[in-house]
Amino acid sequence: MTPSRALPSVVAVAASVLLISGNARAEAEAPLPSAIFRATHNSYSGNVDGAKKSIAYQLDHGVRFIELDVHDNGYATAHDYAIGHDSPGDLVDHAGNPASNLLRDWLTVIDTWSQQHPTAAPIVVMLDLKDDLTDNPSFAAGNLTALNQELVSVFGPRLSAAEEYPASPPSVDALRGRVLALLSGDGKTRAEYRRDLGANPAVALNANGQVVEVHDSGAGVLWYWTGRYDNGRVSWLRHGRYDTGQTPAVALNDNGDLVEVHQSQSATTLWYRVGRLDADGEITWSASHQYDNGVLPTVAFTSPAGTQLREIHRSQNNSQNWTWNGALNTAASTVAWSGNAKTSDARFDKTTSARGTARVHVWTGADGPTPAGTLRVDTDRFTGDRVRYRQTAFDEYQKGDAAELQQGALFYAAPATESAFITSARQAGRLVRGWDFDSAAMATTPLAGYPATNHPYDAWYDDLLTRSGAVQ
């Protein structure tokens, strides 16, 4: 071959390289939802299931979407979640990966890599929840607050929280060096992450901005939320189950001491509990004590020192209200009740609490497609917020999910065979995952933003993602 005949081929190759490079540069400068990234399916399974190798190897070779399947059974013992497909350890490849199945160890691998590569395109860490986390009764038992805390403690400032995602989508370049957490899997857990359901909510606010909300489930279980009032909004901190019963009410003093009253689940006995709110927003509860018979109890502190109380409830037999005076003994975590008598005073408005100009009001009502029992909160400055977990992670919407999971969702997902769903979601400006993307024939136009494959190093995948301008 003569040089003159070889020149067009060299030019063509150079032009192709420039075009591919240009595609990748354009993707990096474009809004995040329009970009394409290398992604793996069941990333933790390495070469046990598929041919993916270790998490670090995947990241080194351009993968920017990591899937970890997560279980919560055993959290009480390990104080952590566990990695595995059908059970902890199932299909887990430990070669080049952590020797344990603990989620924190696997997240730390990703965080270490991210620290070492601050200019890398944002990494999505998807947690496929294989268990229902809504039956975990507290932070200590591994509820979603605990999961949030683990993500924050591992990734620190590199974590780009869902609640911080701007109204105008950022570019890929603007998110370089950041990590986005994504919840997938159990639909009940994903729904509860975005809203909570309940009945008969009550709230108390103290002068320090601490907030305690209590409600019943509508089926005889009592739950609490704690939070902090700041700049007109309530940031919710901890959530947990604390008793059985119905129609609860709560009073909170400026020292963080609280008294809760409620009616029994299946009778008309009245009960109280004393609690102590700590700096993290967790409540340490005393035992429950019966103090009277009646229905619809309410309670409030009446002294500046926060030791004197008044309780007003209705008779179980008629519309007559009755009252008690109470003296809080914080050392014993008890209340001494006295002065029981009929009263013409109305019961306290347990749904609203105010200190100075700050006001918090709780109620239930649908928020778009959410159920009518959705817990809501108004303040003196904002109305209609949901009582819910901090939106640290994004929540994935999958084909066939309830409409409430679609509301406001940025991340969509379906099997790679669902080409119509993937194409429609991409055209609507969503970040879309197509899992089990194991053939070039599954490619859509536009391509899924995260074509999650089990074979990321096959020539067909590398060629497709390179030509599509995949960002690294």
Side-chain angles (χ1 to χ4, degrees):
M1 180 178 293
T2 65
S4 62
R5 295 177 64 87
L7 186 58
S9 179
V10 171
V11 171
V13 170
S16 177
V17 170
L18 287 172
L19 177 61
I20 292 170
S21 176
N23 286 345
R25 183 68 254 151
E27 290 282 348
E29 295 172 348
L32 178 67
S34 68
I36 295 171
F37 304 86
R38 286 174 171 80
T40 50
H41 175 242
N42 292 342
S43 311
Y44 60 89
S45 65
N47 294 341
V48 171
D49 182 30
K52 298 177 281 283
K53 299 190 178 181
S54 71
I55 297 296
Y57 188 95
Q58 293 173 47
L59 293 168
D60 282 341
H61 289 77
V63 172
R64 296 294 178 264
F65 186 103
I66 300 294
E67 175 188 347
L68 302 175
D69 290 356
V70 176
H71 298 265
D72 70 340
N73 298 330
Y75 187 97
T77 300
H79 305 294
D80 199 359
Y81 308 91
I83 300 297
H85 193 263
D86 291 334
S87 60
D90 180 43
L91 297 182
V92 176
D93 188 349
H94 293 287
N97 286 319
S100 82
N101 296 319
L102 297 179
L103 175 61
R104 181 177 292 273
D105 293 342
W106 289 72
L107 295 179
T108 300
V109 169
I110 300 168
D111 180 63
T112 299
W113 191 95
S114 180
Q115 290 185 59
Q116 296 170 348
H117 300 82
T119 62
I123 302 167
V124 173
V125 179
M126 190 194 82
L127 304 181
D128 190 345
L129 305 174
K130 295 298 186 180
D131 297 330
D132 178 3
L133 271 61
T134 67
D135 57 3
N136 297 342
S138 66
F139 177 89
N143 67 7
L144 285 162
T145 306
L147 184 60
N148 272 348
Q149 180 61 36
E150 185 157 327
L151 291 169
V152 170
S153 65
V154 171
F155 294 115
R158 282 168 295 284
L159 186 66
S160 185
E163 62 190 11
E164 298 170 352
Y165 190 80
S168 297
S171 67
V172 173
D173 282 348
L175 291 173
R176 287 192 179 277
R178 307 298 294 274
V179 175
L180 284 68
L182 175 64
L183 300 186
S184 183
D186 184 70
K188 185 177 179 181
T189 304
R190 284 184 287 131
E192 185 174 280
Y193 189 71
R194 301 186 65 192
R195 53 89 181 129
D196 192 19
L197 303 180
N200 302 305
V203 71
L205 167 70
N206 70 15
N208 301 315
Q210 294 175 301
V211 179
V212 175
E213 184 274 348
V214 293
H215 63 272
D216 66 61
S217 66
V221 179
L222 296 174
W223 294 84
Y224 69 91
W225 282 94
T226 68
R228 177 163 292 280
Y229 174 96
D230 187 34
N231 292 322
R233 290 198 186 276
V234 179
S235 297
W236 299 101
L237 302 174
R238 295 289 176 93
H239 177 48
R241 185 174 67 211
Y242 69 94
D243 210 333
T244 59
Q246 57 183 318
T247 63
V250 65
L252 175 67
N253 69 20
D254 293 343
N255 297 319
D257 303 305
L258 60 102
V259 175
E260 179 271 354
V261 293
H262 62 270
Q263 181 184 335
S264 60
Q265 177 182 353
S266 57
T268 55
T269 53
L270 297 178
W271 300 75
Y272 82 92
R273 298 187 76 150
V274 173
R276 175 70 184 178
L277 183 61
D278 68 21
D280 292 327
E282 194 55 78
I283 298 175
T284 302
W285 293 96
S286 71
S288 185
H289 303 279
Q290 184 181 353
Y291 67 96
D292 202 351
N293 294 296
V295 296
L296 304 175
T298 62
V299 66
F301 280 104
T302 57
S303 67
T307 57
Q308 301 302 307
L309 297 140
R310 189 182 184 201
E311 186 273 352
I312 306 176
H313 64 270
R314 197 178 74 191
S315 167
Q316 69 272 30
N317 299 316
N318 51 51
S319 61
Q320 176 65 55
N321 284 344
W322 289 79
T323 186
W324 284 95
N325 296 318
L328 173 63
N329 183 331
T330 55
S333 295
T334 58
V335 175
W337 299 102
S338 63
N340 184 220
K342 294 180 180 180
T343 180
S344 60
D345 293 344
R347 289 175 294 115
F348 298 111
D349 177 7
K350 68 174 189 174
T351 66
T352 303
S353 186
R355 285 298 184 96
T357 60
R359 181 182 63 85
V360 178
H361 171 69
V362 291
W363 52 289
T364 58
D367 185 11
T370 72
T374 300
L375 293 168
R376 311 287 294 279
V377 58
D378 299 338
T379 71
D380 50 286
R381 294 174 57 185
F382 299 97
T383 61
D385 285 349
R386 300 181 189 182
V387 179
R388 64 180 180 179
Y389 293 99
R390 296 291 301 271
Q391 299 297 283
T392 300
F394 293 84
D395 221 347
E396 188 176 69
Y397 168 70
Q398 296 185 6
K399 186 176 188 294
D401 278 343
E404 66 172 309
L405 284 170
Q406 185 178 14
Q407 183 186 29
L410 175 63
F411 285 86
Y412 280 44
T417 53
E418 296 286 349
S419 57
F421 178 87
I422 291 170
T423 300
S424 175
R426 281 283 277 154
Q427 290 173 340
R430 303 297 189 270
L431 286 162
V432 186
R433 174 175 69 103
W435 71 81
D436 278 334
F437 189 91
D438 290 333
S439 166
M442 294 179 172
T444 54
T445 304
L447 186 65
Y450 298 102
T453 185
N454 296 291
H455 303 278
Y457 317 117
D458 283 5
W460 68 267
Y461 188 81
D462 182 66
D463 179 68
L464 175 64
L465 272 291
T466 300
R467 290 184 175 278
S468 299
V471 183
Q472 299 188 39

